[in-house]
């Protein structure tokens, strides 16, 4: 009899443990249970809470109440409770269900519920605004933290910063005096326009016209070659020469490929330009003068070796492109005078080349690096670019000439801006 009794009891216990699970048959968007978490102060059980929808969103049959943007709020006599901004973030990736068990039907009904993290605020402190924190107070707090928890290196940095701190209160008595000294000393400083004029005057380029409307007006011819020197040049013998070799023999400097090529082109024309021939003659004299004065020289030797050139031209070159040190009667060439001589020469080259000069050939004639020659052309306001199709047609050059870069002078005149040094 005992085994039968035990079997019936086990069967009765199995029947009591059977539970049915079911989802709530209420509309999904209908207001339902809400899960809340009190991370700090817990509200009394008697506190009532309300649920508010914070945004208007379209609601249909498939919209769950837990997905709606809602806010839970409640209050006591002392504290306000409300949903914090963390509520939405904590729900991402998780879903919460509330289960209600009916003992009579042995059915557990499940309903999805949102989770809200509740924050609080004391009502008596609502009207109080937080005291503003100054930069000095923030630095003091940071120094205190570093002094307490920082490494040895960080503490050394804090000590160094404190030693370098300026006591502003000690400067109040002399502030007016310092301001007066600054004003007196800055009165002698030039204005922006005066500083620009001084910078333009110090440029190692020929006298120029900043308001020029065409390239030919930027460096006027007689600002480079004085009229008295210009009148002494006679192009007749070179124009009447029948061969290139005869023309080259009449030049002061005969080893310049740039001069010889341009002279042949000019004289090949049915009516050679006397202006261009005279400019090429002057450039030839300048090249010879540079080669003779670039190192230590004696003035009589220069006149003797340039005896074929008019003496008035040699006098002008000597006065403009050499310097005589104080206490000496011996002229000498400096880096500045050499740069000035080259920029004057290049302005004449640009005029002959219709303001688009092949700098590679010029650098070869002067035995200088191409980068240095390009820098001097840029100093004059030129751009080192490849010629456009329009420029090639204007100059009568073949398309292959567009592959090489040239120094091009255009208006309006723009000098290179000084480079600003960046702090590393």
């Amino acid at each position: 009899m005992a085994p039968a009794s035990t079997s019936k009891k086990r069967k009765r216990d199995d029947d009591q443990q059977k539970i049915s699970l079911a989802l709530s048959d209420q509309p999904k968007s209908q207001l339902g249970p809400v899960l809340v978490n009190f991370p700090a102060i817990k509200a009394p059980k008697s506190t009532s809470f309300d649920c508010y929808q914070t945004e208007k969103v379209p609601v249909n049959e498939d919209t769950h109440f837990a997905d709606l943007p809602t806010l839970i709020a409640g209050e006591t006599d002392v504290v306000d409770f409300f949903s914090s901004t963390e509520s939405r973030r904590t729900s991402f990736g998780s879903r919460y269900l509330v289960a209600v068990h009916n003992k009579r039907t042995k059915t557990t009904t499940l309903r999805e519920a949102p989770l809200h993290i509740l924050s609080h605020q004391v009502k008596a402190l609502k009207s109080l605004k937080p005291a503003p924190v100054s930069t000095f107070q923030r630095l003091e707090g940071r120094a205190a933290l570093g002094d307490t928890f920082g490494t040895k290196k960080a503490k050394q940095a804090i000590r160094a910063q404190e030693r370098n701190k300026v006591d502003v209160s000690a400067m109040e008595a002399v502030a007016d005096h310092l301001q007066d000294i600054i004003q007196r000393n800055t009165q002698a400083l030039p204005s922006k326009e005066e500083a620009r004029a001084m910078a333009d005057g110090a440029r190692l380029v020929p006298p120029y016209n900043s308001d020029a409307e065409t390239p030919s007006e930027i460096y006027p011819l007689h600002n480079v070659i004085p009229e008295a020197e210009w009148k002494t040049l006679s192009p007749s013998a070179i124009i009447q020469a029948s061969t290139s070799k005869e023309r080259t023999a009449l030049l002061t400097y005969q080893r310049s490929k740039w001069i010889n090529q341009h002279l042949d082109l000019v004289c090949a024309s049915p009516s050679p330009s006397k202006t261009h021939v005279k400019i090429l003659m002057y450039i030839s004299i300048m090249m010879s003068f540079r080669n003779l004065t670039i190192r230590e020289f004696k003035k009589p030797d220069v006149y003797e070796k340039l005896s074929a050139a008019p003496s008035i031209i040699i006098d002008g070159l000597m006065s403009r492109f050499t310097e005589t040190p104080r206490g000496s009667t011996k002229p000498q060439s400096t880096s500045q005078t050499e740069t000035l001589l080259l920029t004057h020469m290049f302005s004449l080259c640009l005029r002959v080349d219709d303001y688009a000069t092949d700098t590679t050939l010029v650098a070869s004639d002067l035995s200088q690096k191409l980068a240095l020659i390009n820098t001097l052309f840029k100093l004059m306001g030129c751009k080192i670019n490849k010629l456009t199709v329009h420029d090639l047609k204007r100059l009568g050059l073949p398309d292959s000439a567009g592959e090489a870069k040239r120094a091009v002078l255009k208006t309006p005149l723009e000098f290179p801006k000084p480079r600003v040094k960046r702090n590393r």
Side-chain angles (χ1 to χ4, degrees):
M1 296 297 293
S5 174
T6 303
S7 177
K8 290 180 181 179
K9 184 177 181 180
R10 183 181 295 126
K11 184 177 182 181
R12 186 167 52 250
D13 292 340
D14 292 342
D15 293 340
Q16 289 178 353
Q17 291 176 359
K18 289 182 179 180
I19 298 174
S20 299
L21 298 178
L23 294 176
S24 174
D25 57 358
Q26 294 178 342
K28 296 180 181 180
S29 59
Q30 182 177 333
L31 180 65
V34 176
L35 294 175
V36 297
N37 183 14
F38 296 91
I41 298 176
K42 188 175 181 180
K45 293 183 179 181
S46 60
T47 306
S48 61
F49 288 88
D50 295 319
C51 182
Y52 302 93
Q53 185 172 333
T54 57
E55 298 177 15
K56 289 185 177 180
V57 294
V59 179
N60 52 43
E61 295 180 354
D62 296 329
T63 303
H64 289 269
F65 167 69
D67 296 331
L68 295 175
T70 54
L71 179 142
I72 302 298
E75 63 177 332
T76 65
D77 295 338
V78 181
V79 182
D80 287 335
F81 295 94
F82 49 87
S83 300
S84 69
T85 55
E86 295 292 328
S87 299
R88 299 292 295 178
R89 287 197 288 268
T90 54
S91 299
F92 288 152
S94 302
R95 304 184 75 85
Y96 300 91
L97 298 173
V98 174
V100 178
H101 181 64
N102 190 329
K103 292 183 179 180
R104 183 176 59 82
T105 62
K106 299 181 181 180
T107 302
T108 299
T109 304
L110 302 176
R111 170 74 188 250
E112 188 174 354
L115 172 65
H116 286 261
I117 308 297
L118 295 191
S119 181
H120 69 278
Q121 184 176 25
V122 179
K123 291 183 177 181
L125 302 179
K126 278 186 177 181
S127 60
L128 297 179
K129 295 182 179 179
V133 181
S134 64
T135 305
F136 180 72
Q137 291 174 328
R138 190 176 292 108
L139 290 175
E140 277 190 334
R142 183 179 178 183
L145 287 173
D147 195 23
T148 305
F149 303 104
T151 61
K152 184 178 180 180
K153 186 176 181 180
K155 292 178 180 179
Q156 290 177 351
I158 293 172
R159 300 289 181 271
Q161 189 176 12
E162 290 177 351
R163 288 194 298 270
N164 296 330
K165 192 180 298 181
V166 177
D167 188 0
V168 180
S169 60
M171 301 292 291
E172 292 179 355
V174 296
D176 295 337
H177 179 64
L178 289 174
Q179 189 172 3
D180 293 339
I181 293 176
I182 293 171
Q183 288 179 353
R184 284 199 305 270
N185 292 337
T186 54
Q187 285 177 355
L189 293 177
S191 63
K192 187 176 181 180
E193 290 74 15
E194 291 173 344
R196 183 180 299 173
M198 291 172 61
D200 290 344
R203 297 184 188 279
L204 299 177
V205 297
Y208 59 90
N209 176 17
S210 58
D211 299 324
E213 296 181 357
T214 61
S216 61
E217 296 175 354
I218 295 177
Y219 297 106
L221 178 61
H222 293 305
N223 283 359
V224 181
I225 306 176
E227 289 191 40
E229 298 178 18
W230 178 259
K231 292 178 181 179
T232 62
L233 295 169
S234 177
S236 302
I238 291 179
I239 293 176
Q240 292 173 2
S242 57
T243 63
S244 175
K245 187 175 181 180
E246 292 177 0
R247 286 190 291 268
T248 302
L250 296 173
L251 294 173
T252 307
Y253 186 73
Q254 302 173 3
R255 296 195 298 271
S256 170
K257 293 182 180 180
W258 186 91
I259 294 176
N260 296 336
Q261 289 180 8
H262 285 73
L263 196 59
D264 290 341
L265 289 173
V266 172
C267 294
S269 173
S271 55
S273 171
K274 292 183 179 180
T275 299
H276 281 178
V277 173
K278 292 173 73 172
I279 291 175
L280 292 170
M281 292 172 64
Y282 197 88
I283 295 174
S284 175
I285 297 172
M286 294 177 81
M287 285 188 175
S288 293
F289 180 83
R290 173 180 175 272
N291 288 341
L292 293 173
T293 59
I294 195 171
R295 299 178 183 85
E296 186 177 354
F297 65 91
K298 294 181 180 180
K299 191 173 180 180
D301 293 343
V302 175
Y303 280 89
E304 181 181 352
K305 293 179 180 180
L306 295 178
S307 58
S311 60
I312 188 174
I313 294 180
I314 308 305
D315 291 339
L317 296 178
M318 192 71 71
S319 64
R320 296 195 300 274
F321 304 118
T322 61
E323 293 180 358
T324 302
R326 184 178 299 178
S328 174
T329 58
K330 187 177 180 180
Q332 64 181 19
S333 176
T334 64
S335 59
Q336 290 185 341
T337 57
E338 184 185 1
T339 299
L340 199 59
L341 173 65
L342 290 175
T343 54
H344 277 68
M345 186 191 304
F346 295 163
S347 68
L348 297 176
C349 294
L350 286 167
R351 184 175 288 273
V352 174
D353 279 325
D354 204 0
Y355 306 97
T357 296
D358 182 0
T359 57
T360 304
L361 194 56
V362 174
S364 176
D365 284 349
L366 298 174
S367 300
Q368 295 290 334
K369 293 182 179 180
L370 179 61
L372 174 62
I373 300 302
N374 286 342
T375 300
L376 294 179
F377 272 99
K378 290 178 182 178
L379 187 66
M380 300 172 62
C382 295
K383 306 292 184 184
I384 309 299
N385 297 322
K386 292 182 178 180
L387 296 180
T388 62
V389 176
H390 177 266
D391 290 333
L392 291 173
K393 291 182 178 180
R394 177 177 62 85
L395 298 171
L397 296 174
D399 294 341
S400 58
E403 297 299 323
K405 290 185 177 181
R406 291 179 176 242
V408 181
L409 183 64
K410 293 184 178 181
T411 53
L413 177 63
E414 292 184 4
F415 291 113
K417 296 180 181 179
R419 293 183 179 180
V420 179
K421 294 183 177 180
R422 297 181 179 178
N423 296 329
R424 293 183 178 179

